[in-house]
Amino acid sequence: MPYRLVSFSGDQSFELPPGRSLVVGRGISSDIAIYDPTISRRHAELTVGTDGVQVKDLGSSNGTCINGSRVSAGRLHPNDSITFGKVLFQLKEQRSSGPGPGGAPAAAAHPAAPHSPVLSDTIVRELVVSGGGPPGITSRNRNSGFGQLRVAATTAEERQAKKLGLLLDISQKLSGEFDLDRLLGNVVDMMFEVMDVDRVSILLRNESTGELVPSISRSRLGDTTFQQVPRSIVDKVIKDRVAVVSDNTRTDSRFKGHSIVTQSVRSAMCSPLMAAGDRILGLLYVDSITAANSFTDEDLQFLVAFSGLVAIGIRNSRYAEQVRREALVRSNFERYFAPNIAAEIAQQDSVVPLGGERRPITILFSDIRGFTAMAESMGPDSIAQLLTEYFSEMVEIIFEHGGTLDKFVGDAIMALWGAPIAHADDSDRALRAAVAMQRGVARLNQRWSLAGRPEIGVGIGINYGEVFAGNIGSHRRLEYTVIGDAVNVANRLCSEAGPGEILVSEALCQVVKEHADYEYLPAMALRGRTRSVQVYRVKGVGSRELGVGTNS
């Protein structure tokens, strides 16, 4: 018995002669020519037999589906549906009413009408979506104007121009909004403006867990509860990366989920929100609970194009938030860290963990000897200028050696190595920084002496040990710092160091890898400690002798 391939819209019908192989495609030389942008030039091959039609996909871009399932090869039986790209057909048995002219069998008298109820069980239409954008927003179905898209036009050309203008307007409105919540609100409002739908929902993928999370849902009918997107539709869209339209979803064999029945969904469309590289950011879902068979191919195409603009807006919003957060973190941490370290912290949320942690670090304190007495004979402006020049020189040296500026306490400096970012040679860096700081003081004194300004002497103490490091403070102000006995020891060593001296603990000497010259000093009993500390005076590191003058 001969077969006919009848389009779902009823405007195309092709006879399939028995015993022949027919090529379906967009090319003019195709046996079955379907001029639609989602059809490949050589899309599929149909081989007609006595018991049905053998189907073979020819590597098409948008695929071939039998009864809603994408296939590379399969068999089509009478009343089965087949989709080439986005264009849906049904296989019909052609019953002859007697031979026509020349003995040829007569054609079927009445092709399927639009929204024919015989397709109620397999009416899913699919449109492959990629990060590169939708295949187009054209529609060649003669009933495309009867969908839910609010575009009034008298000709196909005018309608196409208005759709493009509508998308351009939407793009301009979304591109200027970087707050994600407001962006999603605008998306829902626009969807209600451009299309007759009852409900709109957006689910976004959690970037950490990959889970789809409900983000916004609104109903034109006044329902304030979040509209759950049917799981069966979500799974189809995410798994196959396709946009789908389903007419009369409750009878659709592709979507048999219990949630669809309980939510009384009559018609639904859903499109993935695709970023570059086919990465799914989430999905956009619309439905109607009042009218079955309401969404056309044109509606689906427009939803895909609309979703592409939404995905770009979401991506830009997230990028803007990342830039804002990194700028905020960097501006905060550049007060304490070298710019390259601050940038690294800004890009890694885990570098400075909330709550802190215990870790071994190297702590350096420096203090200007006799500064209080010196300040009594200087005016406020002179004191401020001296400290500004001194701190600027010292902080640059600390940063150059990979250290962290913890805080200024009066004329004292506290610096760290090993927190929040650790290196294998942190103790060596701290020791080299101390030598460089004393040399920096010598350069300042030389310049100040020529200007007739007072000179200074600085004592430095360094210790190594385990501390608690983290963000400490109140909910109004948090600061990154370290706490522990190792900090107190370093502070005490600094107090004992004379002008131009660097005193270090035995604990530090044990972890320093680079050759250093030390002068052994008697154990010191430091204030606040019951046990004395073995102390060494640094004479030089590597080939660099300390050799700086001292001033009392």
PDB file of all heavy atoms in Angstrom, residues 395-413:
ATOM      1  N   VAL A 395      56.909  49.567  53.358  1.00  0.00           N
ATOM      2  CA  VAL A 395      55.853  48.723  52.782  1.00  0.00           C
ATOM      3  C   VAL A 395      56.259  48.219  51.399  1.00  0.00           C
ATOM      4  O   VAL A 395      56.007  47.055  51.054  1.00  0.00           O
ATOM      5  CB  VAL A 395      54.521  49.491  52.726  1.00  0.00           C
ATOM      6  CG1 VAL A 395      53.491  48.733  51.883  1.00  0.00           C
ATOM      7  CG2 VAL A 395      53.976  49.714  54.124  1.00  0.00           C
ATOM      8  N   GLU A 396      56.888  49.065  50.596  1.00  0.00           N
ATOM      9  CA  GLU A 396      57.341  48.629  49.284  1.00  0.00           C
ATOM     10  C   GLU A 396      58.327  47.483  49.407  1.00  0.00           C
ATOM     11  O   GLU A 396      58.286  46.516  48.633  1.00  0.00           O
ATOM     12  CB  GLU A 396      57.966  49.796  48.515  1.00  0.00           C
ATOM     13  CG  GLU A 396      56.958  50.802  47.989  1.00  0.00           C
ATOM     14  CD  GLU A 396      55.947  50.155  47.061  1.00  0.00           C
ATOM     15  OE1 GLU A 396      56.359  49.368  46.191  1.00  0.00           O
ATOM     16  OE2 GLU A 396      54.749  50.437  47.211  1.00  0.00           O
ATOM     17  N   ILE A 397      59.223  47.568  50.380  1.00  0.00           N
ATOM     18  CA  ILE A 397      60.208  46.498  50.581  1.00  0.00           C
ATOM     19  C   ILE A 397      59.503  45.209  51.008  1.00  0.00           C
ATOM     20  O   ILE A 397      59.823  44.118  50.534  1.00  0.00           O
ATOM     21  CB  ILE A 397      61.257  46.926  51.628  1.00  0.00           C
ATOM     22  CG1 ILE A 397      62.109  48.077  51.072  1.00  0.00           C
ATOM     23  CG2 ILE A 397      62.144  45.747  52.027  1.00  0.00           C
ATOM     24  CD1 ILE A 397      63.051  48.702  52.093  1.00  0.00           C
ATOM     25  N   ILE A 398      58.552  45.317  51.921  1.00  0.00           N
ATOM     26  CA  ILE A 398      57.808  44.133  52.369  1.00  0.00           C
ATOM     27  C   ILE A 398      57.088  43.483  51.186  1.00  0.00           C
ATOM     28  O   ILE A 398      57.132  42.261  51.004  1.00  0.00           O
ATOM     29  CB  ILE A 398      56.802  44.525  53.469  1.00  0.00           C
ATOM     30  CG1 ILE A 398      57.548  44.917  54.745  1.00  0.00           C
ATOM     31  CG2 ILE A 398      55.819  43.388  53.754  1.00  0.00           C
ATOM     32  CD1 ILE A 398      56.676  45.561  55.806  1.00  0.00           C
ATOM     33  N   PHE A 399      56.418  44.297  50.356  1.00  0.00           N
ATOM     34  CA  PHE A 399      55.712  43.759  49.199  1.00  0.00           C
ATOM     35  C   PHE A 399      56.680  43.135  48.194  1.00  0.00           C
ATOM     36  O   PHE A 399      56.381  42.099  47.592  1.00  0.00           O
ATOM     37  CB  PHE A 399      54.893  44.854  48.528  1.00  0.00           C
ATOM     38  CG  PHE A 399      53.640  45.224  49.275  1.00  0.00           C
ATOM     39  CD1 PHE A 399      52.883  46.319  48.872  1.00  0.00           C
ATOM     40  CD2 PHE A 399      53.209  44.487  50.374  1.00  0.00           C
ATOM     41  CE1 PHE A 399      51.713  46.664  49.557  1.00  0.00           C
ATOM     42  CE2 PHE A 399      52.051  44.825  51.047  1.00  0.00           C
ATOM     43  CZ  PHE A 399      51.299  45.927  50.635  1.00  0.00           C
ATOM     44  N   GLU A 400      57.823  43.773  47.982  1.00  0.00           N
ATOM     45  CA  GLU A 400      58.811  43.242  47.043  1.00  0.00           C
ATOM     46  C   GLU A 400      59.272  41.850  47.446  1.00  0.00           C
ATOM     47  O   GLU A 400      59.633  41.033  46.590  1.00  0.00           O
ATOM     48  CB  GLU A 400      60.017  44.176  46.957  1.00  0.00           C
ATOM     49  CG  GLU A 400      59.763  45.457  46.181  1.00  0.00           C
ATOM     50  CD  GLU A 400      60.939  46.410  46.259  1.00  0.00           C
ATOM     51  OE1 GLU A 400      61.978  46.007  46.842  1.00  0.00           O
ATOM     52  OE2 GLU A 400      60.828  47.540  45.764  1.00  0.00           O
ATOM     53  N   HIS A 401      59.255  41.564  48.738  1.00  0.00           N
ATOM     54  CA  HIS A 401      59.699  40.264  49.234  1.00  0.00           C
ATOM     55  C   HIS A 401      58.526  39.331  49.530  1.00  0.00           C
ATOM     56  O   HIS A 401      58.686  38.325  50.242  1.00  0.00           O
ATOM     57  CB  HIS A 401      60.571  40.449  50.480  1.00  0.00           C
ATOM     58  CG  HIS A 401      61.914  41.058  50.193  1.00  0.00           C
ATOM     59  ND1 HIS A 401      62.083  42.413  50.001  1.00  0.00           N
ATOM     60  CD2 HIS A 401      63.139  40.495  50.030  1.00  0.00           C
ATOM     61  CE1 HIS A 401      63.359  42.662  49.754  1.00  0.00           C
ATOM     62  NE2 HIS A 401      64.029  41.516  49.763  1.00  0.00           N
ATOM     63  N   GLY A 402      57.348  39.646  48.991  1.00  0.00           N
ATOM     64  CA  GLY A 402      56.206  38.748  49.091  1.00  0.00           C
ATOM     65  C   GLY A 402      55.538  38.716  50.444  1.00  0.00           C
ATOM     66  O   GLY A 402      54.841  37.745  50.766  1.00  0.00           O
ATOM     67  N   GLY A 403      55.705  39.766  51.237  1.00  0.00           N
ATOM     68  CA  GLY A 403      55.106  39.789  52.566  1.00  0.00           C
ATOM     69  C   GLY A 403      53.724  40.395  52.580  1.00  0.00           C
ATOM     70  O   GLY A 403      53.268  41.009  51.611  1.00  0.00           O
ATOM     71  N   THR A 404      53.040  40.223  53.702  1.00  0.00           N
ATOM     72  CA  THR A 404      51.712  40.787  53.933  1.00  0.00           C
ATOM     73  C   THR A 404      51.810  41.857  54.999  1.00  0.00           C
ATOM     74  O   THR A 404      52.355  41.594  56.086  1.00  0.00           O
ATOM     75  CB  THR A 404      50.731  39.699  54.407  1.00  0.00           C
ATOM     76  OG1 THR A 404      50.577  38.741  53.376  1.00  0.00           O
ATOM     77  CG2 THR A 404      49.383  40.293  54.774  1.00  0.00           C
ATOM     78  N   LEU A 405      51.327  43.051  54.711  1.00  0.00           N
ATOM     79  CA  LEU A 405      51.287  44.105  55.711  1.00  0.00           C
ATOM     80  C   LEU A 405      50.081  43.861  56.610  1.00  0.00           C
ATOM     81  O   LEU A 405      48.938  43.934  56.152  1.00  0.00           O
ATOM     82  CB  LEU A 405      51.183  45.475  55.045  1.00  0.00           C
ATOM     83  CG  LEU A 405      50.979  46.657  56.001  1.00  0.00           C
ATOM     84  CD1 LEU A 405      52.201  46.833  56.903  1.00  0.00           C
ATOM     85  CD2 LEU A 405      50.679  47.932  55.226  1.00  0.00           C
ATOM     86  N   ASP A 406      50.319  43.546  57.871  1.00  0.00           N
ATOM     87  CA  ASP A 406      49.217  43.289  58.785  1.00  0.00           C
ATOM     88  C   ASP A 406      48.641  44.582  59.327  1.00  0.00           C
ATOM     89  O   ASP A 406      47.439  44.821  59.239  1.00  0.00           O
ATOM     90  CB  ASP A 406      49.686  42.387  59.930  1.00  0.00           C
ATOM     91  CG  ASP A 406      48.541  41.971  60.836  1.00  0.00           C
ATOM     92  OD1 ASP A 406      48.132  42.802  61.670  1.00  0.00           O
ATOM     93  OD2 ASP A 406      48.058  40.834  60.705  1.00  0.00           O
ATOM     94  N   LYS A 407      49.500  45.419  59.885  1.00  0.00           N
ATOM     95  CA  LYS A 407      48.974  46.670  60.441  1.00  0.00           C
ATOM     96  C   LYS A 407      50.111  47.621  60.792  1.00  0.00           C
ATOM     97  O   LYS A 407      51.293  47.225  60.887  1.00  0.00           O
ATOM     98  CB  LYS A 407      48.143  46.392  61.696  1.00  0.00           C
ATOM     99  CG  LYS A 407      48.916  45.763  62.847  1.00  0.00           C
ATOM    100  CD  LYS A 407      48.083  45.660  64.117  1.00  0.00           C
ATOM    101  CE  LYS A 407      46.913  44.748  63.972  1.00  0.00           C
ATOM    102  NZ  LYS A 407      47.306  43.306  63.962  1.00  0.00           N
ATOM    103  N   PHE A 408      49.747  48.894  60.968  1.00  0.00           N
ATOM    104  CA  PHE A 408      50.604  49.903  61.588  1.00  0.00           C
ATOM    105  C   PHE A 408      50.097  50.109  63.013  1.00  0.00           C
ATOM    106  O   PHE A 408      48.893  50.219  63.235  1.00  0.00           O
ATOM    107  CB  PHE A 408      50.528  51.246  60.842  1.00  0.00           C
ATOM    108  CG  PHE A 408      50.993  51.190  59.412  1.00  0.00           C
ATOM    109  CD1 PHE A 408      50.185  51.666  58.388  1.00  0.00           C
ATOM    110  CD2 PHE A 408      52.230  50.677  59.088  1.00  0.00           C
ATOM    111  CE1 PHE A 408      50.594  51.629  57.071  1.00  0.00           C
ATOM    112  CE2 PHE A 408      52.664  50.634  57.770  1.00  0.00           C
ATOM    113  CZ  PHE A 408      51.839  51.109  56.763  1.00  0.00           C
ATOM    114  N   VAL A 409      51.003  50.160  63.952  1.00  0.00           N
ATOM    115  CA  VAL A 409      50.645  50.483  65.343  1.00  0.00           C
ATOM    116  C   VAL A 409      51.533  51.649  65.768  1.00  0.00           C
ATOM    117  O   VAL A 409      52.682  51.459  66.158  1.00  0.00           O
ATOM    118  CB  VAL A 409      50.846  49.286  66.288  1.00  0.00           C
ATOM    119  CG1 VAL A 409      50.387  49.656  67.702  1.00  0.00           C
ATOM    120  CG2 VAL A 409      50.102  48.072  65.781  1.00  0.00           C
ATOM    121  N   GLY A 410      50.998  52.875  65.661  1.00  0.00           N
ATOM    122  CA  GLY A 410      51.845  54.046  65.904  1.00  0.00           C
ATOM    123  C   GLY A 410      52.920  54.113  64.847  1.00  0.00           C
ATOM    124  O   GLY A 410      52.639  54.176  63.648  1.00  0.00           O
ATOM    125  N   ASP A 411      54.180  54.035  65.285  1.00  0.00           N
ATOM    126  CA  ASP A 411      55.298  54.040  64.345  1.00  0.00           C
ATOM    127  C   ASP A 411      55.808  52.627  64.074  1.00  0.00           C
ATOM    128  O   ASP A 411      56.818  52.454  63.399  1.00  0.00           O
ATOM    129  CB  ASP A 411      56.441  54.910  64.894  1.00  0.00           C
ATOM    130  CG  ASP A 411      56.963  54.410  66.220  1.00  0.00           C
ATOM    131  OD1 ASP A 411      56.193  54.467  67.206  1.00  0.00           O
ATOM    132  OD2 ASP A 411      58.122  53.973  66.283  1.00  0.00           O
ATOM    133  N   ALA A 412      55.120  51.603  64.607  1.00  0.00           N
ATOM    134  CA  ALA A 412      55.525  50.211  64.418  1.00  0.00           C
ATOM    135  C   ALA A 412      54.820  49.604  63.206  1.00  0.00           C
ATOM    136  O   ALA A 412      53.722  50.009  62.829  1.00  0.00           O
ATOM    137  CB  ALA A 412      55.211  49.400  65.666  1.00  0.00           C
ATOM    138  N   ILE A 413      55.493  48.589  62.633  1.00  0.00           N
ATOM    139  CA  ILE A 413      54.940  47.849  61.491  1.00  0.00           C
ATOM    140  C   ILE A 413      54.897  46.375  61.861  1.00  0.00           C
ATOM    141  O   ILE A 413      55.847  45.833  62.424  1.00  0.00           O
ATOM    142  CB  ILE A 413      55.800  48.029  60.226  1.00  0.00           C
ATOM    143  CG1 ILE A 413      55.822  49.499  59.800  1.00  0.00           C
ATOM    144  CG2 ILE A 413      55.282  47.154  59.083  1.00  0.00           C
ATOM    145  CD1 ILE A 413      56.790  49.777  58.656  1.00  0.00           C
TER     146      ILE A 413
END
